[in-house]
Amino acid sequence: LGGRIDNYRTESFLADINFALRKIVCLLKPTKEITHDPASGAMKIKTITTFKNFFMDFVIGQEFTEDLGPVDGRTCQTTVSWEGDKLLCVQRGEKQGRGWTHWLDGDKLHLVRTSQGDVLTISKRE
């Protein structure tokens, strides 16, 4: 995985984020940069917008503490791993079953966010 994929499109809602912030987020067109070093398993995911930027820096398969304070006020234990050709993120915290799945399909980057078994958002970046 690598490069930039633009033109964010949200097809659902962003749960656990206040109404005003959710409205702003749905108007943004972030740039997502994903870099991966297969030798070390190190991965960086940068989501860059004119409103807020979000950075993840981790090693595939190793649990780390993720600070989601800027997004929704949470801190959780996160593990990101490969499941076939998809990146699977599991976040352990106050809610069960939180996380996301990323995968490429041609030139589209797909993202599905889940919580407690429910799909929260489905996004495509072209």
Side-chain angles (χ1 to χ4, degrees):
L1 289 173
R4 292 175 171 234
I5 301 170
D6 299 309
N7 298 332
Y8 178 73
R9 193 171 71 113
T10 299
E11 297 172 350
S12 187
F13 62 93
L14 301 170
D16 298 330
I17 298 176
N18 74 51
F19 179 78
L21 181 57
R22 191 167 49 234
K23 286 294 192 185
I24 292 169
V25 167
C26 289
L27 296 173
L28 297 175
K29 297 191 184 311
T31 297
K32 183 158 285 217
E33 296 180 27
I34 302 174
T35 58
H36 179 231
D37 177 3
S40 67
M43 183 168 278
K44 293 181 183 184
I45 300 177
K46 298 178 185 178
T47 305
I48 302 166
T49 73
T50 54
F51 178 67
K52 272 188 182 182
N53 298 328
F54 183 72
F55 303 98
M56 286 182 73
D57 191 354
F58 56 92
V59 175
I60 296 290
Q62 292 183 9
E63 187 174 75
F64 63 99
T65 301
E66 184 176 11
D67 179 10
L68 294 167
V71 178
D72 60 11
R74 298 182 295 125
T75 299
C76 60
Q77 292 304 114
T78 300
T79 305
V80 180
S81 56
W82 289 108
E83 187 175 276
D85 61 350
K86 297 179 179 182
L87 274 178
L88 176 66
C89 171
V90 175
Q91 297 171 327
R92 289 187 310 112
E94 78 285 356
K95 292 191 177 183
Q96 297 297 318
R98 283 201 76 140
W100 49 258
T101 304
H102 258 312
W103 71 95
L104 286 171
D105 181 16
D107 62 348
K108 293 182 178 78
L109 178 66
H110 296 264
L111 170 64
V112 174
R113 290 185 187 97
T114 56
S115 180
Q116 298 176 308
D118 296 326
V119 173
L120 301 179
T121 61
I122 301 171
S123 304
K124 294 179 189 176
R125 300 171 201 262
E126 301 177 17

